[in-house]
Structure formats: C-alpha cells, structure tokens
PDB file of all heavy atoms in Angstrom:
ATOM      1  N   PRO F   1       0.897  -1.224  -0.066  1.00  0.00           N
ATOM      2  CA  PRO F   1      -0.025  -0.035  -0.018  1.00  0.00           C
ATOM      3  C   PRO F   1       0.882   1.307  -0.014  1.00  0.00           C
ATOM      4  O   PRO F   1       2.061   1.126   0.298  1.00  0.00           O
ATOM      5  CB  PRO F   1      -0.800  -0.174   1.357  1.00  0.00           C
ATOM      6  CG  PRO F   1       0.271  -0.797   2.371  1.00  0.00           C
ATOM      7  CD  PRO F   1       1.070  -1.685   1.410  1.00  0.00           C
ATOM      8  N   PRO F   2       0.324   2.438  -0.334  1.00  0.00           N
ATOM      9  CA  PRO F   2       1.162   3.639  -0.149  1.00  0.00           C
ATOM     10  C   PRO F   2       1.302   3.946   1.361  1.00  0.00           C
ATOM     11  O   PRO F   2       0.652   3.345   2.303  1.00  0.00           O
ATOM     12  CB  PRO F   2       0.127   4.742  -0.808  1.00  0.00           C
ATOM     13  CG  PRO F   2      -1.183   4.148  -0.724  1.00  0.00           C
ATOM     14  CD  PRO F   2      -1.075   2.639  -0.728  1.00  0.00           C
ATOM     15  N   ASP F   3       2.160   4.927   1.627  1.00  0.00           N
ATOM     16  CA  ASP F   3       2.339   5.259   2.959  1.00  0.00           C
ATOM     17  C   ASP F   3       1.374   6.382   3.462  1.00  0.00           C
ATOM     18  O   ASP F   3       0.345   6.529   2.728  1.00  0.00           O
ATOM     19  CB  ASP F   3       3.824   5.922   3.129  1.00  0.00           C
ATOM     20  CG  ASP F   3       4.130   7.210   2.399  1.00  0.00           C
ATOM     21  OD1 ASP F   3       3.132   7.756   1.941  1.00  0.00           O
ATOM     22  OD2 ASP F   3       5.154   7.610   2.483  1.00  0.00           O
ATOM     23  N   GLN F   4       1.546   6.895   4.717  1.00  0.00           N
ATOM     24  CA  GLN F   4       0.615   7.854   5.247  1.00  0.00           C
ATOM     25  C   GLN F   4       0.327   9.129   4.442  1.00  0.00           C
ATOM     26  O   GLN F   4      -0.704   9.624   4.600  1.00  0.00           O
ATOM     27  CB  GLN F   4       1.152   8.210   6.703  1.00  0.00           C
ATOM     28  CG  GLN F   4       2.203   9.338   6.694  1.00  0.00           C
ATOM     29  CD  GLN F   4       3.616   8.678   6.380  1.00  0.00           C
ATOM     30  OE1 GLN F   4       3.788   7.533   6.235  1.00  0.00           O
ATOM     31  NE2 GLN F   4       4.548   9.526   6.301  1.00  0.00           N
ATOM     32  N   THR F   5       1.252   9.395   3.497  1.00  0.00           N
ATOM     33  CA  THR F   5       0.835  10.555   2.634  1.00  0.00           C
ATOM     34  C   THR F   5      -0.231  10.373   1.781  1.00  0.00           C
ATOM     35  O   THR F   5      -0.652  11.273   1.141  1.00  0.00           O
ATOM     36  CB  THR F   5       2.257  10.984   1.771  1.00  0.00           C
ATOM     37  OG1 THR F   5       2.531   9.926   0.900  1.00  0.00           O
ATOM     38  CG2 THR F   5       3.366  11.260   2.708  1.00  0.00           C
ATOM     39  N   ARG F   6      -0.776   9.116   1.602  1.00  0.00           N
ATOM     40  CA  ARG F   6      -1.868   8.771   0.714  1.00  0.00           C
ATOM     41  C   ARG F   6      -2.926   8.062   1.623  1.00  0.00           C
ATOM     42  O   ARG F   6      -3.727   7.317   1.101  1.00  0.00           O
ATOM     43  CB  ARG F   6      -1.534   7.893  -0.452  1.00  0.00           C
ATOM     44  CG  ARG F   6      -0.347   8.483  -1.335  1.00  0.00           C
ATOM     45  CD  ARG F   6      -0.915   9.571  -2.170  1.00  0.00           C
ATOM     46  NE  ARG F   6       0.096  10.181  -2.980  1.00  0.00           N
ATOM     47  CZ  ARG F   6       0.989  11.237  -2.592  1.00  0.00           C
ATOM     48  NH1 ARG F   6       0.769  11.818  -1.401  1.00  0.00           N
ATOM     49  NH2 ARG F   6       1.827  11.715  -3.487  1.00  0.00           N
ATOM     50  N   SER F   7      -2.977   8.561   2.893  1.00  0.00           N
ATOM     51  CA  SER F   7      -4.022   7.905   3.767  1.00  0.00           C
ATOM     52  C   SER F   7      -5.516   8.061   3.262  1.00  0.00           C
ATOM     53  O   SER F   7      -6.380   7.184   3.497  1.00  0.00           O
ATOM     54  CB  SER F   7      -3.763   8.397   5.129  1.00  0.00           C
ATOM     55  OG  SER F   7      -3.980   9.656   5.301  1.00  0.00           O
ATOM     56  N   ALA F   8      -5.660   9.277   2.588  1.00  0.00           N
ATOM     57  CA  ALA F   8      -7.000   9.416   2.005  1.00  0.00           C
ATOM     58  C   ALA F   8      -7.529   8.466   0.957  1.00  0.00           C
ATOM     59  O   ALA F   8      -8.684   8.366   0.660  1.00  0.00           O
ATOM     60  CB  ALA F   8      -7.235  10.881   1.657  1.00  0.00           C
ATOM     61  N   SER F   9      -6.625   7.769   0.377  1.00  0.00           N
ATOM     62  CA  SER F   9      -6.774   6.742  -0.694  1.00  0.00           C
ATOM     63  C   SER F   9      -7.672   5.642  -0.169  1.00  0.00           C
ATOM     64  O   SER F   9      -8.142   4.839  -1.037  1.00  0.00           O
ATOM     65  CB  SER F   9      -5.714   6.240  -1.273  1.00  0.00           C
ATOM     66  OG  SER F   9      -4.785   5.462  -0.396  1.00  0.00           O
ATOM     67  N   ARG F  10      -7.845   5.409   1.198  1.00  0.00           N
ATOM     68  CA  ARG F  10      -8.442   4.276   1.830  1.00  0.00           C
ATOM     69  C   ARG F  10      -7.573   3.028   1.650  1.00  0.00           C
ATOM     70  O   ARG F  10      -8.061   1.870   1.900  1.00  0.00           O
ATOM     71  CB  ARG F  10      -9.860   4.145   1.367  1.00  0.00           C
ATOM     72  CG  ARG F  10     -10.765   5.356   1.695  1.00  0.00           C
ATOM     73  CD  ARG F  10     -12.098   5.215   1.058  1.00  0.00           C
ATOM     74  NE  ARG F  10     -12.971   4.392   2.000  1.00  0.00           N
ATOM     75  CZ  ARG F  10     -14.291   4.076   1.729  1.00  0.00           C
ATOM     76  NH1 ARG F  10     -14.858   4.619   0.737  1.00  0.00           N
ATOM     77  NH2 ARG F  10     -14.878   3.252   2.575  1.00  0.00           N
ATOM     78  N   ALA F  11      -6.335   3.143   1.229  1.00  0.00           N
ATOM     79  CA  ALA F  11      -5.498   2.067   1.235  1.00  0.00           C
ATOM     80  C   ALA F  11      -5.287   1.337   2.508  1.00  0.00           C
ATOM     81  O   ALA F  11      -5.097   0.085   2.517  1.00  0.00           O
ATOM     82  CB  ALA F  11      -4.095   2.434   0.425  1.00  0.00           C
ATOM     83  N   GLY F  12      -5.259   1.996   3.607  1.00  0.00           N
ATOM     84  CA  GLY F  12      -5.126   1.375   4.759  1.00  0.00           C
ATOM     85  C   GLY F  12      -6.348   0.459   5.098  1.00  0.00           C
ATOM     86  O   GLY F  12      -6.208  -0.711   5.608  1.00  0.00           O
ATOM     87  N   GLU F  13      -7.506   0.878   4.779  1.00  0.00           N
ATOM     88  CA  GLU F  13      -8.770   0.115   4.961  1.00  0.00           C
ATOM     89  C   GLU F  13      -8.668  -1.074   4.077  1.00  0.00           C
ATOM     90  O   GLU F  13      -8.993  -2.144   4.500  1.00  0.00           O
ATOM     91  CB  GLU F  13      -9.927   1.086   4.620  1.00  0.00           C
ATOM     92  CG  GLU F  13     -11.170   0.445   4.895  1.00  0.00           C
ATOM     93  CD  GLU F  13     -12.411   1.450   4.624  1.00  0.00           C
ATOM     94  OE1 GLU F  13     -12.122   2.588   4.262  1.00  0.00           O
ATOM     95  OE2 GLU F  13     -13.584   1.008   4.630  1.00  0.00           O
ATOM     96  N   LEU F  14      -8.316  -0.953   2.771  1.00  0.00           N
ATOM     97  CA  LEU F  14      -8.144  -2.016   1.927  1.00  0.00           C
ATOM     98  C   LEU F  14      -7.118  -3.085   2.427  1.00  0.00           C
ATOM     99  O   LEU F  14      -7.269  -4.291   2.253  1.00  0.00           O
ATOM    100  CB  LEU F  14      -7.879  -1.650   0.580  1.00  0.00           C
ATOM    101  CG  LEU F  14      -8.988  -0.849  -0.132  1.00  0.00           C
ATOM    102  CD1 LEU F  14      -8.379  -0.136  -1.421  1.00  0.00           C
ATOM    103  CD2 LEU F  14     -10.075  -1.675  -0.521  1.00  0.00           C
ATOM    104  N   THR F  15      -6.030  -2.577   2.760  1.00  0.00           N
ATOM    105  CA  THR F  15      -4.965  -3.490   3.352  1.00  0.00           C
ATOM    106  C   THR F  15      -5.492  -4.277   4.614  1.00  0.00           C
ATOM    107  O   THR F  15      -5.179  -5.482   4.643  1.00  0.00           O
ATOM    108  CB  THR F  15      -3.761  -2.642   3.571  1.00  0.00           C
ATOM    109  OG1 THR F  15      -3.279  -1.974   2.670  1.00  0.00           O
ATOM    110  CG2 THR F  15      -2.515  -3.619   4.104  1.00  0.00           C
ATOM    111  N   CYS F  16      -6.176  -3.698   5.428  1.00  0.00           N
ATOM    112  CA  CYS F  16      -6.838  -4.384   6.613  1.00  0.00           C
ATOM    113  C   CYS F  16      -7.747  -5.493   6.150  1.00  0.00           C
ATOM    114  O   CYS F  16      -7.819  -6.566   6.585  1.00  0.00           O
ATOM    115  CB  CYS F  16      -7.577  -3.369   7.431  1.00  0.00           C
ATOM    116  SG  CYS F  16      -6.543  -2.443   8.468  1.00  0.00           S
ATOM    117  N   LEU F  17      -8.584  -5.134   5.091  1.00  0.00           N
ATOM    118  CA  LEU F  17      -9.488  -6.086   4.536  1.00  0.00           C
ATOM    119  C   LEU F  17      -8.722  -7.274   4.004  1.00  0.00           C
ATOM    120  O   LEU F  17      -9.223  -8.361   4.091  1.00  0.00           O
ATOM    121  CB  LEU F  17     -10.438  -5.409   3.479  1.00  0.00           C
ATOM    122  CG  LEU F  17     -11.479  -4.454   3.922  1.00  0.00           C
ATOM    123  CD1 LEU F  17     -12.227  -3.609   2.868  1.00  0.00           C
ATOM    124  CD2 LEU F  17     -12.571  -5.126   4.845  1.00  0.00           C
ATOM    125  N   ALA F  18      -7.574  -7.076   3.307  1.00  0.00           N
ATOM    126  CA  ALA F  18      -6.832  -8.038   2.733  1.00  0.00           C
ATOM    127  C   ALA F  18      -6.348  -8.927   3.823  1.00  0.00           C
ATOM    128  O   ALA F  18      -6.283 -10.179   3.704  1.00  0.00           O
ATOM    129  CB  ALA F  18      -5.677  -7.487   1.848  1.00  0.00           C
ATOM    130  N   TRP F  19      -5.815  -8.380   4.818  1.00  0.00           N
ATOM    131  CA  TRP F  19      -5.351  -9.203   5.987  1.00  0.00           C
ATOM    132  C   TRP F  19      -6.396  -9.951   6.700  1.00  0.00           C
ATOM    133  O   TRP F  19      -6.157 -11.157   6.923  1.00  0.00           O
ATOM    134  CB  TRP F  19      -4.788  -8.094   7.019  1.00  0.00           C
ATOM    135  CG  TRP F  19      -4.393  -8.784   8.422  1.00  0.00           C
ATOM    136  CD1 TRP F  19      -3.443  -9.708   8.636  1.00  0.00           C
ATOM    137  CD2 TRP F  19      -4.973  -8.380   9.614  1.00  0.00           C
ATOM    138  NE1 TRP F  19      -3.380  -9.919   9.942  1.00  0.00           N
ATOM    139  CE2 TRP F  19      -4.397  -9.197  10.647  1.00  0.00           C
ATOM    140  CE3 TRP F  19      -5.950  -7.401   9.993  1.00  0.00           C
ATOM    141  CZ2 TRP F  19      -4.613  -9.110  11.948  1.00  0.00           C
ATOM    142  CZ3 TRP F  19      -6.159  -7.377  11.355  1.00  0.00           C
ATOM    143  CH2 TRP F  19      -5.566  -8.283  12.341  1.00  0.00           C
ATOM    144  N   LYS F  20      -7.657  -9.377   6.797  1.00  0.00           N
ATOM    145  CA  LYS F  20      -8.708 -10.277   7.381  1.00  0.00           C
ATOM    146  C   LYS F  20      -9.106 -11.319   6.404  1.00  0.00           C
ATOM    147  O   LYS F  20      -9.541 -12.465   6.769  1.00  0.00           O
ATOM    148  CB  LYS F  20      -9.900  -9.236   7.582  1.00  0.00           C
ATOM    149  CG  LYS F  20      -9.618  -8.409   8.833  1.00  0.00           C
ATOM    150  CD  LYS F  20     -10.753  -7.491   9.114  1.00  0.00           C
ATOM    151  CE  LYS F  20     -10.309  -6.618  10.326  1.00  0.00           C
ATOM    152  NZ  LYS F  20     -11.352  -5.442  10.605  1.00  0.00           N
ATOM    153  N   TYR F  21      -9.064 -11.082   5.133  1.00  0.00           N
ATOM    154  CA  TYR F  21      -9.377 -12.096   4.039  1.00  0.00           C
ATOM    155  C   TYR F  21      -8.359 -13.340   4.044  1.00  0.00           C
ATOM    156  O   TYR F  21      -8.794 -14.396   4.117  1.00  0.00           O
ATOM    157  CB  TYR F  21      -9.613 -11.449   2.746  1.00  0.00           C
ATOM    158  CG  TYR F  21      -9.990 -12.539   1.598  1.00  0.00           C
ATOM    159  CD1 TYR F  21     -11.348 -12.770   1.525  1.00  0.00           C
ATOM    160  CD2 TYR F  21      -9.059 -12.995   0.772  1.00  0.00           C
ATOM    161  CE1 TYR F  21     -11.719 -13.645   0.594  1.00  0.00           C
ATOM    162  CE2 TYR F  21      -9.396 -13.997  -0.060  1.00  0.00           C
ATOM    163  CZ  TYR F  21     -10.697 -14.356  -0.291  1.00  0.00           C
ATOM    164  OH  TYR F  21     -11.190 -15.160  -1.210  1.00  0.00           O
ATOM    165  N   TYR F  22      -7.068 -12.979   3.964  1.00  0.00           N
ATOM    166  CA  TYR F  22      -6.062 -13.844   3.726  1.00  0.00           C
ATOM    167  C   TYR F  22      -5.627 -14.432   5.137  1.00  0.00           C
ATOM    168  O   TYR F  22      -4.805 -15.531   5.142  1.00  0.00           O
ATOM    169  CB  TYR F  22      -4.922 -13.421   2.987  1.00  0.00           C
ATOM    170  CG  TYR F  22      -5.258 -13.277   1.502  1.00  0.00           C
ATOM    171  CD1 TYR F  22      -5.429 -11.979   0.883  1.00  0.00           C
ATOM    172  CD2 TYR F  22      -5.421 -14.500   0.644  1.00  0.00           C
ATOM    173  CE1 TYR F  22      -5.688 -12.018  -0.459  1.00  0.00           C
ATOM    174  CE2 TYR F  22      -5.734 -14.320  -0.531  1.00  0.00           C
ATOM    175  CZ  TYR F  22      -5.874 -13.132  -1.174  1.00  0.00           C
ATOM    176  OH  TYR F  22      -6.328 -13.048  -2.559  1.00  0.00           O
ATOM    177  N   GLY F  23      -5.771 -13.718   6.300  1.00  0.00           N
ATOM    178  CA  GLY F  23      -5.327 -14.228   7.534  1.00  0.00           C
ATOM    179  C   GLY F  23      -3.863 -14.366   7.552  1.00  0.00           C
ATOM    180  O   GLY F  23      -3.052 -13.450   7.100  1.00  0.00           O
ATOM    181  N   SER F  24      -3.294 -15.509   7.928  1.00  0.00           N
ATOM    182  CA  SER F  24      -1.783 -15.590   8.170  1.00  0.00           C
ATOM    183  C   SER F  24      -1.144 -15.773   6.783  1.00  0.00           C
ATOM    184  O   SER F  24       0.024 -15.683   6.712  1.00  0.00           O
ATOM    185  CB  SER F  24      -1.672 -16.901   9.026  1.00  0.00           C
ATOM    186  OG  SER F  24      -2.043 -18.032   8.409  1.00  0.00           O
ATOM    187  N   SER F  25      -1.873 -15.933   5.666  1.00  0.00           N
ATOM    188  CA  SER F  25      -1.340 -16.006   4.446  1.00  0.00           C
ATOM    189  C   SER F  25      -0.730 -14.652   3.972  1.00  0.00           C
ATOM    190  O   SER F  25       0.093 -14.545   3.125  1.00  0.00           O
ATOM    191  CB  SER F  25      -2.216 -16.540   3.437  1.00  0.00           C
ATOM    192  OG  SER F  25      -2.570 -17.961   3.646  1.00  0.00           O
TER     193      SER F  25
END
C-alpha cells in the first residue's frame, strides 16, 4: 500500500480487508 501521505486513498482500509481475508497467508 502507499504510506501515510496517501491515507485518504483508503489504502489502509483495503490492506486491513486483505489481512482479514487472507489471515496468516
């Protein structure tokens, strides 16, 4: 994902969703 300079992109939210979807993968 991008860093904090692009936090408005919702990339943090998407990355969290990917983590919840893939779990330990």
Side-chain angles (χ1 to χ4, degrees):
D3 68 6
Q4 74 284 353
T5 63
R6 301 293 179 266
S7 61
S9 71
R10 298 177 77 181
E13 188 177 350
L14 292 169
T15 305
C16 285
L17 289 170
W19 170 61
K20 288 175 182 175
Y21 181 81
Y22 285 110
S24 62
S25 292

